Amino acid sequence: MSNHKILVIDDSKVIRMRVRDMLPEGNFEFLEAKDGLEGYNLIRTENPNLIILDFLLPKMSGWEVFQQIQSEDNLKSIPLVLMSGRKEEVVEKIPEPFQYFAFIEKPFDQKQLLQAIKEAMSKAKQYSAKPTVSNPKLEELSGDYSTDIQNLHGQIAQMQTEMETIKKQMSQLVAFIKKKLA
C-alpha cells in the first residue's frame, strides 16, 4: 500500500478509468467514488493527497463537496482539481481566477491533467492547514503558564513536522510525475 492517495470523484466510470490510465503507475493508491456523498465520505476517511472532482454529481454536487472542503482547514489544504464539461457552470458558482483549485475542462488529455495536478499542488501550498489549539485547562491555570506554553510549543513542533512530511510526499509525487513525463 502506498502513502499517496489520489481520489477521483466522477459519476462516469469511463472518466474515472480514463483518469486512472493517464496517471503514472506505482507510487500511489487510486481511490474512486461515483457520487459526491461517497466522495466526501472518502475524503474524510482516507485523507487523500489529491482530489480530482467532477462539478456535476448525484447525491451531493461537486459544488457542495467543494464548499465542505473549503469549510474545514484540514481538508482545504488538499490539492484539488475540479473537472467539468462546461466551464460556465463552474464560473457561475465560483468566479475566476480560481484561487483554491485547478480547473480542467472535459475532455482533456494526459498533459492537461498532469498540468492541472501540478497547478493544484501549487495552489494548495498557500492554504495549508493552520494549527488551532484548544485547551480547556487554560481557564483553570493559576499564575504559572510555563508548562502549558511548553506543551503548546511541543504541539506546534509536532504539527510542523507533520506538515513537512506532507510537503515532502507532495514533492515526491511531483518528481515522480515529472520523471514519467520525461
Side-chain angles (χ1 to χ4, degrees), residues 13-51:
K13 185 172 179 81
V14 172
I15 296 290
R16 293 192 311 265
M17 290 173 60
R18 181 179 165 147
V19 168
R20 171 185 271 195
D21 292 343
M22 287 183 184
L23 295 171
E25 291 183 23
N27 200 25
F28 57 86
E29 181 180 352
F30 185 85
L31 306 169
E32 54 186 298
K34 63 185 177 304
D35 61 63
L37 186 59
E38 180 184 7
Y40 180 65
N41 289 333
L42 280 173
I43 291 168
R44 302 211 24 109
T45 60
E46 295 292 329
N47 284 330
N49 301 91
L50 172 68
I51 302 166

Side-chain angles (χ1 to χ4, degrees), residues 50 76-81 98-102 114-128 170 174:
L50 172 68
K76 72 179 173 183
S77 62
I78 301 171
L80 173 67
V81 175
F98 304 127
Q99 62 186 105
Y100 301 104
F101 59 89
L114 296 177
Q115 181 59 40
I117 290 170
K118 183 178 177 183
E119 179 185 341
M121 288 177 174
S122 173
K123 288 181 178 184
K125 282 182 187 175
Q126 60 186 319
Y127 296 102
S128 56
M170 295 308 281
V174 168

Side-chain angles (χ1 to χ4, degrees), residues 90-103:
V90 176
V91 176
E92 281 177 22
K93 302 270 188 194
I94 309 164
E96 289 189 87
F98 304 127
Q99 62 186 105
Y100 301 104
F101 59 89
F103 175 79

Side-chain angles (χ1 to χ4, degrees), residues 19 22 52-54 81-87 90 98 101-117 119:
V19 168
M22 287 183 184
I52 301 174
L53 173 67
D54 187 20
V81 175
L82 196 58
M83 308 182 284
S84 179
R86 296 183 55 215
K87 186 175 184 177
V90 176
F98 304 127
F101 59 89
F103 175 79
I104 189 167
E105 193 164 7
K106 295 178 187 175
F108 50 84
D109 61 26
Q110 183 181 33
K111 183 178 179 185
Q112 291 168 318
L113 176 63
L114 296 177
Q115 181 59 40
I117 290 170
E119 179 185 341

